């Protein structure tokens, strides 16, 4: 009996005593959900035409229908299947058809579950589909190649080795080992991909080619006839580095707008290449057949809808998800100069991804094609509200989502556990 009381006393003690041994304990804390339920979504009208809204919702439905198996996604502590998210789109469209504009926000508040980022507010930028002059064959002017994806670029999906890990690694295999792929400087500066027949076309401006890489898709206006649409096919897998941030931090430019960056690089060709090479990430393209009225193809395999399609971090935001966003948009004149700002509020959809789009509150709005869209998109870098909406369905219990977001974290427990002596 005395031994039992002695063991109990040691187990309860928080400081070391004769006959007791201390163990420092580390526990595994679950990740905090990236979103929390919003008591009332800030839905207040829509500043765009409804035709694009319906087309964007149908694009999400086509994506869900294309999935070979049911996939599960997490929001806050709720889990939904891809089938449920598709039904949510149908429910939302029926609400849209059967509800007057001034009553729609009340129905959404009553019949939809809404989720907002737990940490801070939304952060919005914009991207566009550039139009570049190009030729099928190079000459003295058109000498900067648009490359297709090389055959030796190897993709490693870590989930095949570590279940639940959604990360991927790109590289090249040499002598049975995986190495980083060529950098931007090695490809464009040293020409290490030349002579392999990878050139889809040739453009006349290395800066415009760089921005084509940033946007991930574009239209090549072929001076020898026709148009070639190109879409993202892969990357060298190296981290993205913002040259805008570098140029601002080093007081090279005062503004990080595309116009300011282009202007400096055009006036300073000696500095141009070394600035561009700071972004070691390199993008490869594929030619795609699209209707001229369609937007470029996003990461879900569906054409993007201007103003409605967002690139998001799909570790957190379910692909295809319905969203409501509020922020400011730049107003530009015919020369591309910023003249003011307007508030916007609209429904949008998670249709794309991007290497620079990271975090549960990040949204990159697809603004459209051409120079005017590019001028506007280049100014947009604003805070705002981002809400994810799920309408007419209830979350599922006990399902493991595919968008795990952050991994579990090892944290030390503040204290010492005392255990009884085994003597």
């Amino acid at each position: 009996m005395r031994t039992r009381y002695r063991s109990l006393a040691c187990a309860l003690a928080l400081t070391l005593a004769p006959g007791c041994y201390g163990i420092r304990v580390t526990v595994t804390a679950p990740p905090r959900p990236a979103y929390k339920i919003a008591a009332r979504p800030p839905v207040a009208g829509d500043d765009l035409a409804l035709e694009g809204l319906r087309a964007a919702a149908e694009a999400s439905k086509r994506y869900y229908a294309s999935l070979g198996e049911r996939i599960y996604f997490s929001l806050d502590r709720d889990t939904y299947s891809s089938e449920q998210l598709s039904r949510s789109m149908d429910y939302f469209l029926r609400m849209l058809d059967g509800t007057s504009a001034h009553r729609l926000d009340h129905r959404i508040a009553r019949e939809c579950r809404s989720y907002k980022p737990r940490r801070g507010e939304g952060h919005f930028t914009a991207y566009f589909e550039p139009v570049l002059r190009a030729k099928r064959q190079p000459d003295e002017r058109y000498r900067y190649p648009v490359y297709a994806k090389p055959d030796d670029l190897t993709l490693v999906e870590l989930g095949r080795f570590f279940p639940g890990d959604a990360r991927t690694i790109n590289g090249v295999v040499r002598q049975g080992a995986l190495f980083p792929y060529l950098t931007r400087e090695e490809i464009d500066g040293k020409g290490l991909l030349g002579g392999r027949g990878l050139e889809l076309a040739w453009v006349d401006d290395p800066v415009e080619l760089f921005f084509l890489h940033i946007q991930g898709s574009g239209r090549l206006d072929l001076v020898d006839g026709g148009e070639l649409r190109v879409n993202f096919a892969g990357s060298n897998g190296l981290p993205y580095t913002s040259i805008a941030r570098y140029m601002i931090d080093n007081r090279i430019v005062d503004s990080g707008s595309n116009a300011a960056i282009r202007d400096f690089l055009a006036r300073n060709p000696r500095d141009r290449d070394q600035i561009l090479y700071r972004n070691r990430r390199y993008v490869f393209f594929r030619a795609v057949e699209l209707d001229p009225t369609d937007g470029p193809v996003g990461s879900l395999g569906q054409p993007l809808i201007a103003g409605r399609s967002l690139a998001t971090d799909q570790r957190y935001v379910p692909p295809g998800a319905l969203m409501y966003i509020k922020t400011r948009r730049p107003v530009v004149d015919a020369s591309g100069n910023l003249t003011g700002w307007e508030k916007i509020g609209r429904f949008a959809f998670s249709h794309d991804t991007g290497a620079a789009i990271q975090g549960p509150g990040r949204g990159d709005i697809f603004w459209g094609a051409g120079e005017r869209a590019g001028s506007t998109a280049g100014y947009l870098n604003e805070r705002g509200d981002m809400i994810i909406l799920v309408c007419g369905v209830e979350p599922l219990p006990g399902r493991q989502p595919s968008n795990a977001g952050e991994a579990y974290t090892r944290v030390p427990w503040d204290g010492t556990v005392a255990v009884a002596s085994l003597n």
Side-chain angles (χ1 to χ4, degrees), residues 205-224:
D205 188 334
V207 176
E208 294 304 315
L209 177 61
F210 178 86
F211 280 99
L212 174 65
H213 286 210
I214 300 300
Q215 305 306 319
S217 61
R219 302 181 186 225
L220 304 184
D221 184 10
L222 301 173
V223 297
D224 37 5

Side-chain angles (χ1 to χ4, degrees), residues 204-249:
D204 63 348
D205 188 334
V207 176
E208 294 304 315
L209 177 61
F210 178 86
F211 280 99
L212 174 65
H213 286 210
I214 300 300
Q215 305 306 319
S217 61
R219 302 181 186 225
L220 304 184
D221 184 10
L222 301 173
V223 297
D224 37 5
E227 181 182 71
L228 180 65
R229 302 284 293 274
V230 293
N231 234 84
F232 178 88
S235 78
N236 60 357
L238 296 176
Y240 170 82
T241 299
S242 169
I243 65 166
R245 173 50 53 198
Y246 167 77
M247 294 173 75
I248 291 173
D249 289 347

Side-chain angles (χ1 to χ4, degrees), residues 267-280:
R267 291 186 293 102
N268 297 273
R270 292 184 178 180
D271 300 322
R272 178 193 66 202
D273 290 347
Q274 292 306 314
I275 291 175
L276 298 182
Y277 294 159
R278 296 194 70 84
N279 181 19
R280 300 168 70 232

